[in-house]
Amino acid sequence: MKKTLLLIVLLVFFNSYGQQSKIDSLTLQLELKKTNEEKIKILELLSKILINYSTPDKSIPYFLEMSAISKKLKRHELESQSYKYISECYLKKGDFENAEKYALEAIHISINSNDTNFYLIDINQLGRVYHHFQKYKKAVETYNKGISRYKIHPQGNAICTIYSNLGISYGQQGKIEKEINSYLKSSKYADKLESYTAKSFALYNIAYLYMDLNQYEKSEKYYLLALKDSTKIELKAYVYMNHHGLGNNYSRWGKYQKALKHNKIAYNYYKSTGNKLYQFDLLNNTAIVYGRMNNPSKSIKYANLALKLAVELNHKLAIAGAKQTLANGLINLKKYNEAKGILLEIARDTTDVKIISLETKSAIYQNLSSVYEGEKNYTKSLEYFKKFKNANDSILINQRDSNISDIETKYQTEKKEKENLQLKTEKVEQALLLEKETKQKWLLSFGLISSLLILVIGGYFYQKNIKQKEVIETLQKDLHHRVKNNLAIINRFIDVVKEEFNNEAFDAKLIELQNRIASINEVHQQLYNNKDATKLGVKKYIEKLKQNIENTYVNKNITVEQHIDATVNLKANISFPIGLIVNEFLTNSFKYAFTNTEKGKISININEADNHYKLELADNGKGFPKGFDISNSKTFGLRIMKLLTQQINGTFKIDGANGVKLTIQFPK
């Protein structure tokens, strides 16, 4: 559901400072006015408050009245604005047909206007409608119509928002390069037009993109850049929008206190302005942060507050999101029956809502699988796990089909270009044959034609090679995704076995096995997400393994430090054994190196030289017992690490005199 809910609250170009008392006052004044001229003035003020503060059902009658009076008075810009507001209300209600209908009504009025900015604002609304209902290609087409008009008649600042929203729609199609270029164009126009608000929004979108790519440091950098000129931004909502973004980024990054701090700053602002959509999102995000902090009670508290606001707004997507967050909190408290009721209710309520994405359905199925597993109803658990897997596979197929469609489009374009080139070549050849007068000219012509044919043939095979490479990369990603899912199924079966046997020693061995599976699974996960499906960033990979072990063996007295350069990459076939070696060392250190009260430190280092890598793992624990013979040791962990080192043609050196230190050097 990437950015779907975000678009509802971020791309609205107006700002609301209204309070309920203002609405009551203006509606009372409206009833007392008799002439259309008097009424339209009140409606114009009232509409700007209603659009953000009131519910769609209460707002629509006033917007319809505004459109009717504007039409009579021939106030075309106000008539267009009222249609745009009505479209926004239906967008919030999840009603695509009416949202599109009224956005088109607005464009019908503005298309013949000499004011390009007026037209672009309406185009932006229609594009948002298509994006919100996951019609991303239609959204891109719509935004590009606005850009074409602007190139002929450049007017106003709305072009900045058009380019930003175009980038978001490209992002939903997985066209990252086009997404970034659109944001950069938005930023360029913002600089040119001296629009700090548009500049902030463009930087915000770049930050959001990096957050989606799990590049949290870069995301933080762009959010802070977006805040840099905050004193110059006219709409203060854009300032606090970036605090909201920072809260999201820190939450995903694992910096939870920072996430809560920025969420609170943004929430206090939007509460003071009466913007309930932002209030909802911030409450829901805060609930998610507490969930990640393993504080389910606070997570449930904030999820309930978010749900209350979503119901007030009558916003189906927001209600589903809040309920899902609430269900997660209940699952963590092992209140499976309550969680199950909520999840089944979401699944039932969202069957007719087209804006609910496959990602959302996938999350619902995954949670239901966990609930039934908690209730020891393993048949139902596996049934919903299968639905979860099918939904994930559908997401992958959609992505793959989109990639294949892009390849096919490129192929057809290249084919036409080759046909045109071939026609041109034939004409050149005929001209040369007709004009040849001497043997020297004929030989020269022949040489030119031969060179041209070589270029055409070479170009054909070059393009064919590129297409084959793209298809292979797509298949590689597909393979990594399927292996990842299959490992998840194996992991789930192990969970089922653990439930059947009440034996701590047996459970411990199975948990160690699951950690080994997790280390392999993480390779496939990251290779699937990487642009290059053959190489793995070691720093991020090791960090995931470290977190997994820390979550398994909870001991706050033990700290794990890693010193790995972010530029170090390993080939896929090397990553598997390295991950398993690190997993075994960390497991043994947590289990055997320290007493329960002793403070301990474990360090992980990977250094890169010209022709080899060096992996160093060390703890400052009690080391090996006296008389321990490493060369004759038959312990399972050591045997695994030695075998894996041989597999990558590495040298194995371990010292247990002062803590345990393992050094493995292996060739590139």
Side-chain angles (χ1 to χ4, degrees), residues 25 36 56 70 171 178 206 262 292 362 449 481 487 602 606 615 668:
S25 173
N36 284 336
S70 300
K178 287 187 176 182
I206 294 171
H262 285 279
R292 289 171 178 167
S362 171
I449 294 166
H481 180 72
L487 287 170
I602 305 170
I606 295 182
L615 168 65
K668 289 186 176 180

Side-chain angles (χ1 to χ4, degrees), residues 532-550:
D532 184 349
T534 63
K535 290 183 180 179
L536 187 79
V538 184
K539 184 179 179 69
K540 182 179 173 184
Y541 174 44
I542 297 298
E543 180 63 28
K544 285 283 186 182
L545 297 184
K546 174 179 86 76
Q547 289 174 2
N548 191 43
I549 296 296
E550 286 175 334

